[in-house]
Amino acid sequence: GKLNNLYEFLPDAKKALIVTTNGKSVKRNGYLDKLIGNLDKKSMEYVLFDEIEPNPLNTTVDKGADIAKEENCDIIIAIGGGSAMDASKAIALATNNPGKLWDYVQFGTGGKKTPENKALPLIAIPTTAGTGSEADMGAVISNNETKEKTAIFGEDLFPILSIIDPELMVSVPEKYTAFQGFDAISHSLEGYINGIVNMYSDMYALEAIRNIHEYLPKAVNNGNDIEAREKVAFGSYLSGLVMSVGNTSSLHSLEHALSAYHHNLTHGLGLILLSKAYFTFLIKKHVCDDRFIKLAKVMGIEDSEDPMDFITALDQFHKDIKVDKIEMSDYDVSPDEFEKMAHTAFDSMGMLFGVDCYKFTVDDVVKIYEESFE
């Protein structure tokens, strides 16, 4: 219920750009009206920008930034799913700097410029539990022209305030609850087996995995289970912290390349489709057997002594959240794309390969795509 009291926490600002998606749920469920009511109580003006795609595009970000500049907005408020959070961070950066967003992207075809000014302050109000974007300093943006999906980072992209209200999440349909929740647990699974783990990332990751593993199936089976929604939201938030004190792994690079070519494939689902082949590949390399055994224990196989027990637990988790029957071919993915996708993964998000505990090659990535397709 904390959205009802947002006005108590709002900073002094004159005009907000409210950023949300081009979907209807935020409006239909009354969440946007609640937000506007809080702004009215604070006598804060606002402009609504509701054009964000499921995989936000750099061109849409530039359009939002242009509106924010024209309207003299001095704060950005994101309400919606992870795409709204990410797009808002990018808009906050682009609004306060000359040129276009892609000028400041540091990877692939990005302009690699250093921003002259800090981003506008951002308030994040997630209505889904998945990306953890309300707790980190990164945003993922797609470029349709170059078929890239890559990230921007900056300490000033941390939200100055996040309202994580599980009451806003009960309306998320079953399959999207599963897709988004898997994104959240994947952040921590990857954050626990990469090459830059530390005491903070381990602490957040294991607690996130415990919460999401236990409660996501309950949220999938009963969307009105507010306790389950709260625990999954908490796990998603903790996974955002994992990315702030550690990182994910190159599984995210592989998925971003996959959904850059197939925008109808949501990020969480892409991770689901790739996860078993990716983690099996690493287990067979024996790079961190003890950590995979620990993950298996946290995910229900308490007497685990074999790293492959994690794959058994992961497979059961897929079944528990009702995603085990989905295949890449359902989304028009074709094996003849895998070589291009592998190169895109390295070109667009190569930094994540740098934190892996194993040195992947392009051929390795193609093999994982192929095994995920079978």
Side-chain angles (χ1 to χ4, degrees), residues 44-169:
M44 187 184 297
E45 295 182 48
Y46 66 88
V47 180
L48 177 64
F49 183 61
D50 57 356
E51 300 182 24
I52 306 303
E53 308 89 350
N55 287 297
L57 297 173
N58 62 306
T59 48
T60 307
V61 166
D62 288 335
K63 183 176 180 180
D66 287 343
I67 292 171
K69 290 176 182 177
E70 291 167 8
E71 295 286 342
N72 294 314
C73 296
D74 55 353
I75 192 168
I76 309 293
I77 303 179
I79 183 166
S83 57
M85 305 296 115
D86 282 11
S88 294
K89 291 177 182 180
I91 289 171
L93 174 68
T95 300
N96 239 14
N97 285 282
K100 303 293 186 182
L101 173 71
W102 211 252
D103 297 335
Y104 302 98
V105 170
Q106 301 300 309
F107 312 104
T109 63
K112 301 176 179 59
K113 289 184 178 180
T114 300
E116 297 177 14
N117 307 303
K118 286 187 175 183
L120 287 182
L122 168 70
I123 293 175
I125 307 171
T127 60
T128 64
T131 67
S133 191
E134 70 276 6
D136 67 34
M137 61 175 181
V140 176
I141 304 297
S142 296
N143 185 321
N144 237 352
E145 184 178 340
T146 63
K147 297 296 183 187
E148 291 173 287
K149 187 176 179 184
T150 190
I152 58 171
F153 300 97
E155 289 188 9
D156 52 324
L157 299 186
F158 276 115
I160 62 167
L161 171 67
S162 294
I163 300 292
I164 307 168
D165 187 344
E167 288 185 0
L168 308 183
M169 302 169 188

Side-chain angles (χ1 to χ4, degrees), residues 39-333:
L39 299 185
D40 289 342
K41 286 183 179 181
K42 188 75 173 180
S43 299
M44 187 184 297
E45 295 182 48
Y46 66 88
V47 180
L48 177 64
F49 183 61
D50 57 356
E51 300 182 24
I52 306 303
E53 308 89 350
N55 287 297
L57 297 173
N58 62 306
T59 48
T60 307
V61 166
D62 288 335
K63 183 176 180 180
D66 287 343
I67 292 171
K69 290 176 182 177
E70 291 167 8
E71 295 286 342
N72 294 314
C73 296
D74 55 353
I75 192 168
I76 309 293
I77 303 179
I79 183 166
S83 57
M85 305 296 115
D86 282 11
S88 294
K89 291 177 182 180
I91 289 171
L93 174 68
T95 300
N96 239 14
N97 285 282
K100 303 293 186 182
L101 173 71
W102 211 252
D103 297 335
Y104 302 98
V105 170
Q106 301 300 309
F107 312 104
T109 63
K112 301 176 179 59
K113 289 184 178 180
T114 300
E116 297 177 14
N117 307 303
K118 286 187 175 183
L120 287 182
L122 168 70
I123 293 175
I125 307 171
T127 60
T128 64
T131 67
S133 191
E134 70 276 6
D136 67 34
M137 61 175 181
V140 176
I141 304 297
S142 296
N143 185 321
N144 237 352
E145 184 178 340
T146 63
K147 297 296 183 187
E148 291 173 287
K149 187 176 179 184
T150 190
I152 58 171
F153 300 97
E155 289 188 9
D156 52 324
L157 299 186
F158 276 115
I160 62 167
L161 171 67
S162 294
I163 300 292
I164 307 168
D165 187 344
E167 288 185 0
L168 308 183
M169 302 169 188
V170 296
S171 59
V172 178
E174 178 183 285
K175 70 174 183 177
Y176 291 110
T177 297
F179 298 165
Q180 294 156 4
F182 193 85
D183 184 19
I185 200 171
S186 190
H187 293 149
S188 285
L189 293 174
E190 296 171 57
Y192 192 69
I193 55 87
N194 65 38
I196 59 167
V197 296
N198 57 73
M199 288 185 288
Y200 272 112
S201 63
D202 283 355
M203 174 180 67
Y204 292 136
L206 291 175
E207 192 62 20
I209 293 164
R210 285 190 186 97
N211 277 274
I212 299 169
H213 177 261
E214 180 176 355
Y215 287 97
L216 182 58
K218 296 177 181 179
V220 169
N221 284 299
N222 178 8
N224 291 315
D225 186 337
I226 196 68
E227 180 188 20
R229 292 288 189 183
E230 181 182 37
K231 297 288 188 174
V232 175
F234 179 56
S236 179
Y237 166 72
L238 291 179
S239 285
L241 296 180
V242 170
M243 292 184 284
S244 297
V245 299
N247 214 323
T248 59
S249 75
S250 60
L251 174 55
H252 263 63
S253 302
L254 271 66
E255 196 296 314
H256 285 316
L258 176 63
S259 54
Y261 280 81
H262 296 275
H263 283 264
N264 60 333
L265 202 161
T266 63
H267 176 55
L269 175 56
L271 292 170
I272 289 166
L273 294 171
L274 295 169
S275 58
K276 285 196 286 185
Y278 179 87
F279 289 124
T280 298
F281 182 94
L282 282 178
I283 288 170
K284 288 181 177 179
K285 299 299 179 182
H286 298 287
V287 288
C288 55
D289 285 355
D290 57 332
R291 287 185 168 259
F292 280 112
I293 290 171
K294 177 67 173 178
L295 290 177
K297 291 179 178 179
V298 172
M299 293 177 67
I301 304 179
E302 296 177 2
D303 59 349
S304 174
E305 296 180 352
D306 183 346
M308 282 300 293
D309 287 340
F310 168 70
I311 301 301
T312 301
L314 182 64
D315 187 59
Q316 183 59 51
F317 186 61
H318 284 181
K319 293 174 182 175
D320 291 342
I321 61 173
K322 304 178 182 179
V323 298
D324 55 305
K325 304 297 184 185
I326 308 173
E327 297 180 355
M328 274 191 187
S329 56
D330 297 335
Y331 290 82
D332 299 322
V333 178

